[in-house]
Each structure stands twice: as C-alpha cells, then as structure tokens.
Amino acid sequence: MGGGAARLYGALTPPLPPTSPQPADANLDPAFCQGRRSSSACPSDPAALLRQCEDALGADRAPRLHRTFTRVTDGDGVPGNGVRVMQWNILAQALGEGLDGFVRCPPEALSWSRRKYLILEEILTYRPHILCLQEVDHYHDTLQPVLAGLGYGGHFCPKPWSPCLEVEGNNGPDGCALFFDRSRYELLDSVNVRLAAMRIPTNQIAVLTTLRCRSSGTRVCVAVTHLKARSGWEWLRSAQGSDFLGHLQNLVRDPAGDPAASAAPLFVCGDFNAVPTEEVYRRFAASPLGLDSAYKKLGEDGATEPEFTSWKIRSTGECRATLDYIWYSRDSLRVDRVLDVPTEEQIGPNRLPSVSYPSDHLSLVCDFSFKEKE
C-alpha cells in the first residue's frame, strides 16, 4: 500500500469522520473533472455528458444491455411528485482488477479507463433523483466531481477495513455513496454509521440521509448499505440487519419528538449479499417500518424477487443470485415503474462484468410516487 493510500486509510478508520476531497486523478479526462470549478470541457447538461461517454467508448463498442421499464402502478399517487431511485453495486476498481478473479472477463474490460465511462453512462442514462452506490473507490476523483457538476449532492462512507487497501496501486478504501438531486431535494441531515453485530462494531457501514422535497415540503429518508459477503456469514448479516433496522427506526421518527406524527417515507437501498430466503431479508420484510421490496413487482404474483441481480464467474465457480434490493415504505409510497432484469441471452455466456457492462451487479431503478394522504 502506497504512502498516500496509507494516509487516506488512516484518516478514514473509525469513528468514520466526514471525509475531505482528495486531488483529482491526474489520468482522468478533463470532461470528468468538474468538481467545484466550471469548464467549457465539462458540460453540466446530463445529455451532453452522456454523449461524451458514448464518444469515448467508440463506435465499435459492444452493445449495451437493452433494458426497459415495466409499469406496475398499484394505486393513486400525488400527481407530479415522482421520484426515481437507483441502487447499484458498481464493483470497486481495486477488487475487480486485483481480488475478485473474474476469469471470463477480458482484462481490458476491467480497466478504469473504460469502466468509468460505462459507469457514468449507466447513471446518466437513467438520471435518478436519488442514487445509492456500493463498492465506490473513486468517489473523490470521479463520481463526486462529475455528479456535483450535474447538480447532485453527495455523501460517502468508507469501510474501516476495506479489502481494496490490500491491492497494490489502490485508490483508497471502498464504501457506500448516496447522491441526491439538489434541484428536487434539500439536505436536512446525513450521518455515517458503522454497523454492529451483538454490539460489536463490524466492517460494514451505512449512510443515512434525511431530505426535504422542495416542491411539497415532505421529509424523505434514504439509507444505503452493503452487508457482509460470502456464504457462511448469514448470522452476521442478520445481526447487522437488526442493528441497521434500529438506526432506520430512529431515522424516520418525527424530529420534534411527536410520537403521534407519521413516520417519514423511507427508501432503503443496498447490496445485502443475502438471497430472499435469508433471515436478514425476512427481518426487513416483517419489520415495523412497513417496508416492501420494489423489485417483487416484476414477478407475476407481485411477491417474488427476480431470479438474479448478480451473475458472475470466478475461479471458484459461477454465482447467480438476487442480492440487491430497493426497499420502500409501502404505506406512503407506491411503485410506478421498474427497470427490468436482462435475460441470460442478453448477459451472455461470460456473465458479468463484461466489455458491455462494468459491474458484476445489475443496477436497479424504480420510479415511485407519494400516495395521497387520507
């Protein structure tokens, strides 16, 4: 680990203080160095920046995954008060190149010089109002500057013991990032949380943010997390989920302390690393917060998760599973549209990541609206 990475790591270990911006990557193209300065080479228009990404990837690029929205409206909502939420584990650069061992993915497809354009292209294609990301290790030099230039506010929480730091030439620790469209939402509060299991701090974290809708004045709570990976750790994910739910219950309470006040609408996004049969999933589905999983709306019965949100081939074998979720308050929010999941044929025999898709996890995108108050 280089001296710069070591200093950065030291600054970000518990108690997880707010992080300060780092110098932009010297190899980053000017079009992706918007930051706090303006530049004619850095368009603030999403459509213009999307075209720059497409141009950078070239005319001979592999075709993108073709995905469409499915309308699943399940009730009356407040007109003109929609919100688009995007959840995505983008694959940490250091892990993709150094530790994850994607044996069927060409090395050139894992280079940051290519992946950064594919990641930004995916985000710019769907233009979410709220964006929740995991495995972010290029927050300060890429994602925060670019998205700030497009009008997003952002918060980042690094893992205290990120595996990225074990990779030579790493870009610092990976973590969770939460972005919101400042034209739509005003920031009220945002905190970083280190999740505990049986009161013992763990390596997994969360960002909990409270926003106010500028048009309606509605307080909206958003949280993003990334729970412990790998089989055999189900008990730890369950304990982390229990701790996380406690933080969420405090998050949605009325700030004035009125116990009779309605809880704020809540979005919870994350790579839970847990299939729907795991205890942590059941905890969320049965919690007093009244949460439901948006992607169940794609199922014929409206109660079944997709067959997969992640599909990869490592040296240890092939893994196809549903691990990622967008949870929402079913009493105050309705799901209007859900971005579909690609077919096996679309993904291809080498699975993810690939020359056409930058992560081993699919992005999840949903359009919501607020239900009419009774």
Side-chain angles (χ1 to χ4, degrees), residues 347-366:
I347 288 177
N350 294 331
R351 311 314 184 200
L352 304 174
S354 66
V355 293
S356 60
Y357 201 78
S359 177
D360 55 324
H361 290 252
L362 295 169
S363 65
L364 308 184
V365 185
C366 294

Side-chain angles (χ1 to χ4, degrees), residues 17-353:
T19 57
S20 57
Q22 303 300 310
D25 183 348
N27 296 319
L28 201 63
D29 295 346
F32 300 109
C33 294
Q34 297 183 45
R36 295 173 177 79
R37 67 183 190 276
S38 61
S39 169
S40 59
C42 301
S44 58
D45 173 47
L49 191 56
L50 177 58
R51 287 192 296 271
Q52 286 195 2
C53 289
E54 293 168 344
D55 291 344
L57 290 165
D60 59 346
R61 60 175 294 180
R64 295 188 66 208
L65 293 180
H66 178 68
R67 303 173 68 183
T68 59
F69 281 94
T70 298
R71 178 163 290 279
V72 294
T73 300
D74 58 1
D76 295 328
V78 179
N81 207 10
V83 52
R84 175 167 289 183
V85 178
M86 183 174 187
Q87 147 62 30
W88 196 17
N89 178 330
I90 64 173
L91 175 61
Q93 184 60 30
L95 300 184
E97 285 191 305
L99 293 178
D100 276 350
F102 298 115
V103 293
R104 300 278 287 274
C105 183
E108 61 270 19
L110 293 171
S111 69
W112 183 243
S113 62
R114 178 176 183 81
R115 290 186 65 243
K116 64 185 178 185
Y117 294 109
L118 289 170
I119 290 169
L120 291 169
E121 182 184 54
E122 185 81 355
I123 294 169
L124 291 165
T125 294
Y126 301 112
R127 301 184 197 177
H129 303 119
I130 294 172
L131 171 63
C132 296
L133 304 175
Q134 300 85 38
E135 291 198 23
V136 175
D137 62 350
H138 276 274
Y139 177 82
H140 296 294
D141 63 13
T142 305
L143 290 170
Q144 191 280 332
V146 172
L147 293 175
L150 296 173
Y152 286 88
H155 292 267
F156 175 65
C157 182
K159 291 178 183 175
W161 299 98
S162 169
C164 291
L165 298 172
E166 301 174 10
V167 179
E168 185 177 355
N170 68 78
N171 198 56
D174 76 299
C176 293
L178 192 155
F179 294 93
F180 62 94
D181 182 346
R182 291 197 303 263
S183 70
R184 293 263 188 145
Y185 296 100
E186 171 193 4
L187 176 67
L188 298 181
D189 190 32
S190 188
V191 295
N192 293 347
V193 171
R194 186 176 181 184
L195 298 178
M198 296 172 287
R199 300 186 180 183
I200 301 173
T202 70
N203 191 41
Q204 279 63 52
I205 42 80
V207 180
L208 284 71
T209 297
T210 305
L211 307 171
R212 179 184 288 124
C213 180
R214 294 188 185 275
S215 62
S216 68
T218 303
R219 188 169 64 99
V220 180
C221 297
V222 187
V224 55
T225 194
H226 189 187
L227 301 186
K228 174 64 180 175
R230 311 297 184 192
S231 61
W233 292 98
E234 291 82 1
W235 67 271
L236 182 56
R237 285 191 286 273
S238 179
Q240 289 173 338
S242 180
D243 184 52
F244 189 29
L245 283 168
H247 289 289
L248 294 174
Q249 288 169 346
N250 292 330
L251 179 68
V252 301
R253 286 176 182 156
D254 178 63
D258 182 359
S262 299
L266 173 65
F267 296 105
V268 183
C269 298
D271 174 359
F272 278 57
N273 276 306
V275 297
T277 55
E278 272 198 38
E279 184 179 5
V280 66
Y281 181 97
R282 296 195 299 271
R283 282 183 183 272
F284 270 73
S287 81
L289 289 167
L291 297 173
D292 203 358
S293 173
Y295 261 72
K296 290 196 304 183
K297 299 293 183 181
L298 285 181
E300 292 184 3
D301 58 358
T304 305
E305 295 286 356
E307 293 183 357
F308 62 91
T309 62
S310 177
W311 199 344
K312 68 200 80 176
I313 300 176
R314 292 189 172 117
S315 56
T316 53
E318 188 165 356
C319 177
R320 175 179 180 268
T322 294
L323 306 173
D324 310 90
Y325 305 95
I326 299 177
W327 298 91
Y328 68 99
S329 302
R330 59 175 173 262
D331 289 340
S332 54
L333 294 161
R334 73 168 188 180
V335 183
D336 292 327
R337 300 199 307 165
V338 179
L339 186 66
D340 68 9
V341 174
T343 64
E344 179 178 359
E345 182 180 9
Q346 287 177 290
I347 288 177
N350 294 331
R351 311 314 184 200
L352 304 174

